[in-house]
Amino acid sequence: MPFPLSRRALLSGVGAAAMLGSLPRGARAQTPVKGGTLTVAADTEPRNLNPALVASNGVFYVASKVVEPLAEMAYDGRLTPVLATAWQGSDDGRTVTFTLRDGVTWHDGKPFTAADVAFSATELWSKRQNLGRVVFKDLQAVDTPDDRTAVFRFASPIPLQLVENALPALTAVVPKHLYEGADIDSNPHNEQLVGTGPFLYREHKPGEYYLLERNPGYWGQGGLPYLDRIVYRVLPDRGAIAAAHEAGEIQLSAFSAVPLEELERLKGLPELAVVRKGYEGITYQLTVEINHRRTELADARVRRAIAHAIDQGYVVDTIFRGYAAAATGPVPKTGVPFYTPDVATYPFDPKKAEALLDEAGYPRKDGGMRFALRLLPAPWFEQTRQMGDYLRQALRAVGIDATLVTNDAAGHTKAVYTDHAFDLAIGSPVYRNDPAISTTILYRGGLPDGVPFSNQYGYDDPAMNDLIDRAAVELDRGKRIALYQQFQQRAADQLPLIVAAEFTFITVASRRLHNIATNPRWATSSWADTWLEG
């Protein structure tokens, strides 16, 4: 499809202001303006953009504007209906009935129906999606008595609370007519997305940009979306992102794409805003992943020693420049109502760390070291890489010789989650509103090899497994919360992995951009009501 703007103007964001009306600035600040091109920074290019297969923020960042879930999060703790307008669970926890939105069409003009939801749930979420195949593992079938009703039937009880918490991140719906009868994993529409969302997928120029354009047939009320286009400009150099903001070439960067050390300077620029809101539903954690197949690391005393060797204050203040908080365990403080502070903690205490290592039978040898480890920092963020450097030094101070091993994203994922070719790794899992969605998978034993961002650590504790399994089917909300608090206490005691910090992200945006950070998953939501002032 030919570009309405020149390619140079598209990539630089030039031309957006010219496409806006000539309202006085004060009026534009109060009244949404239709039109314009929003140019944003993208620092990665996912190989698979289908969120029904890969539930991850890198995918959602682009795909959530095209492919929609059943519901989205809101700041009041409730859910905003999207493709589902209502849902109800049965008393026995074995069925959940969804009422679906009427009058929705796919971007190719076909009608959206319950058959699309049934196909997505049974063939993608429960079988192939990285997170859905845990949450929806007991999904037996989805009945479709009519085009507007989908009845999920489960083999065992599932808490409605869990299903509701999973809706924003795990229920992206894809068109059955473009996937049925074809190989799902290699389907070209895993990148060339066809959805029901406010924007149409138009083009990906590798190494340069993704282009989305306004969906004129969007079901949203009030003429949504406001923007004509969204251009994701590929800028893997984080320093270049800050420079592009200052030059006015981009109007938005999300997920702390601007280096933290640049934020104070950018805060002083009148045309830019630094925004900390909009990520409350996707809290990240900085973790030390531990390979329990190593004899030394299978000893809880050694794991506790490593925890005592880590100065969480340094991690928060220096690595994150204050844009983080010390963590106490697998559920962050934002994880209301599940979080409990009533857990064992491991304050920075190198002498205690050394005593525990001695007690475990690993005294310092000639040269001062006790044993050697391979340490693999994940390449996702600058902070995961910096944590690798810091942890190597912290371990050396207590007599553990850690050698850094660096890989690209694919190599790191394979080394840790398939080959188990690591002793320690720095990870950054995401807490997504409920422990069962993306957190307990880090602690449950018996998972098959090769599942990314899961327990591939050789840790398999019957008591932990029992807590996780009981909570997964507990229908009473109060009892379920209590089980997850026991889960946190068990995790803090056994330390199968160490959670050093919890953090959300920073958005840098032009002050001409309005309706940002309007929900707790804003960067991974639709941006249907976001608009750009001239």
Side-chain angles (χ1 to χ4, degrees):
M1 180 175 181
F3 289 176
L5 296 176
S6 73
R7 186 157 166 261
R8 180 176 179 181
L10 186 68
L11 288 177
S12 67
V14 175
M19 300 173 66
L20 300 174
S22 57
L23 293 172
R25 184 175 181 85
R28 288 199 300 267
Q30 298 297 320
T31 305
V33 175
K34 291 187 179 181
T37 296
L38 171 61
T39 305
V40 306
D43 59 358
T44 61
E45 296 176 89
R47 297 178 182 177
N48 188 326
L49 272 179
N50 184 350
L53 289 175
V54 183
S56 76
N57 291 333
V59 170
F60 292 141
Y61 188 37
V62 177
S64 60
K65 288 67 183 165
V66 181
V67 178
E68 295 183 301
L70 296 179
E72 186 52 271
M73 291 181 70
Y75 277 122
D76 62 5
R78 301 180 182 181
L79 291 171
T80 301
V82 183
L83 291 179
T85 58
W87 46 90
Q88 184 173 2
S90 62
D91 290 341
D92 65 1
R94 292 180 181 270
T95 65
V96 181
T97 301
F98 291 92
T99 301
L100 304 177
R101 189 175 296 279
D102 198 10
V104 177
T105 59
W106 293 102
H107 293 161
D108 62 2
K110 302 288 186 182
F112 161 76
T113 72
D116 298 306
V117 175
F119 181 82
S120 298
T122 57
E123 297 302 319
L124 283 80
W125 309 342
S126 64
K127 291 182 180 178
R128 293 175 171 85
Q129 190 191 69
N130 56 325
L131 301 178
R133 59 184 174 184
V134 175
V135 174
F136 295 113
K137 63 182 176 61
D138 291 330
L139 181 65
Q140 282 187 315
V142 178
D143 298 333
T144 55
D146 58 62
D147 283 350
R148 303 271 73 80
T149 306
V151 182
F152 285 47
R153 292 195 287 109
F154 294 89
S156 59
I158 185 169
L160 181 61
Q161 180 188 45
L162 170 57
V163 174
E164 290 174 330
N165 287 341
L167 295 181
L170 274 61
T171 63
V173 183
V174 298
K176 177 181 178 181
H177 64 277
L178 295 180
Y179 278 85
E180 188 175 40
D183 181 52
I184 290 175
D185 295 320
S186 62
N187 194 304
H189 295 293
N190 290 338
E191 180 181 88
Q192 299 163 23
L193 303 173
V194 175
T196 58
F199 294 94
L200 310 172
Y201 178 94
R202 285 306 189 204
E203 185 177 15
H204 174 209
K205 185 78 170 178
E208 294 190 40
Y209 61 83
Y210 294 94
L211 170 64
L212 309 183
E213 290 191 340
R214 184 179 188 274
N215 174 15
Y218 186 52
W219 57 263
Q221 301 298 309
L224 298 178
Y226 294 131
L227 294 165
D228 282 338
R229 300 171 193 81
I230 303 174
V231 177
Y232 291 84
R233 183 176 168 187
V234 178
L235 293 169
D237 181 345
R238 291 159 54 83
I241 295 175
H245 269 298
E246 293 183 270
E249 296 174 355
I250 60 175
Q251 293 84 46
L252 178 75
S253 62
F255 293 108
S256 298
V258 172
L260 296 181
E261 59 270 20
E262 298 274 9
L263 291 179
E264 289 303 316
R265 181 172 59 81
L266 295 186
K267 278 182 181 179
L269 300 179
E271 67 273 19
L272 294 179
V274 175
V275 183
R276 296 189 68 168
K277 287 187 63 179
Y279 301 96
E280 294 83 353
I282 45 176
T283 300
Y284 273 68
Q285 297 167 310
L286 188 72
T287 60
V288 180
E289 300 170 303
I290 299 170
N291 192 340
H292 293 243
R293 299 169 187 85
R294 276 291 301 260
T295 301
E296 299 93 334
L297 300 177
D299 190 324
R301 293 171 294 185
V302 173
R303 302 195 295 272
R304 292 167 187 153
I306 293 172
H308 279 300
I310 297 171
D311 184 349
Q312 288 181 292
Y314 178 90
V315 173
V316 169
D317 294 337
T318 303
I319 294 179
F320 285 95
R321 295 181 178 265
Y323 291 99
T328 59
V331 176
K333 299 174 186 68
T334 57
V336 179
F338 302 103
Y339 172 75
T340 177
D342 185 21
V343 297
T345 58
Y346 301 88
F348 179 54
D349 190 341
K351 290 183 178 179
K352 178 68 172 177
E354 297 232 34
L356 283 167
L357 291 168
D358 289 340
E359 180 185 327
Y362 301 106
R364 288 183 181 264
K365 302 174 184 176
D366 292 342
M369 293 296 105
R370 304 169 188 272
F371 51 86
L373 298 174
R374 295 166 297 175
L375 171 58
L376 280 64
W380 325 132
F381 307 115
E382 183 65 25
Q383 289 73 35
T384 54
R385 293 188 287 268
Q386 290 179 3
M387 181 64 181
D389 292 330
Y390 164 69
L391 184 58
R392 180 181 63 82
Q393 298 172 39
L395 293 176
R396 189 168 188 83
V398 298
I400 298 174
D401 184 16
T403 299
L404 285 178
V405 180
T406 58
N407 295 291
D408 62 13
H412 180 85
T413 301
K414 184 174 185 294
V416 176
Y417 303 108
T418 299
D419 297 341
H420 309 139
F422 75 104
D423 297 314
L424 301 176
I426 306 301
S428 56
V430 186
Y431 180 81
R432 296 186 186 276
N433 205 32
D434 191 292
I437 294 176
S438 56
T439 297
T440 56
I441 194 174
L442 300 171
Y443 296 82
R444 181 62 171 88
L447 298 179
D449 291 348
V451 179
F453 317 119
S454 72
N455 176 8
Q456 296 297 326
Y457 318 132
Y459 172 74
D460 195 350
D461 173 53
M464 179 65 85
N465 295 342
D466 179 64
L467 281 170
I468 292 171
D469 294 346
R470 286 163 56 202
V473 297
E474 178 54 63
L475 303 183
D476 182 276
R477 290 185 180 230
K479 293 179 180 178
R480 186 168 183 263
I481 290 168
L483 285 170
Y484 280 126
Q485 291 179 344
Q486 293 175 49
F487 157 72
Q488 292 168 75
Q489 291 163 347
R490 183 75 180 169
D493 177 66
Q494 293 293 301
L495 282 186
L497 55 85
I498 298 167
V499 187
E502 54 196 49
F503 62 101
T504 54
F505 291 102
I506 310 297
T507 295
V508 177
S510 166
R511 291 192 181 276
R512 298 191 295 115
L513 191 64
H514 294 261
N515 285 349
I516 64 175
T518 53
N519 70 61
R521 296 178 68 252
W522 183 78
T524 60
S525 63
S526 74
W527 298 0
D529 64 347
T530 299
W531 59 279
L532 191 63
E533 177 184 349

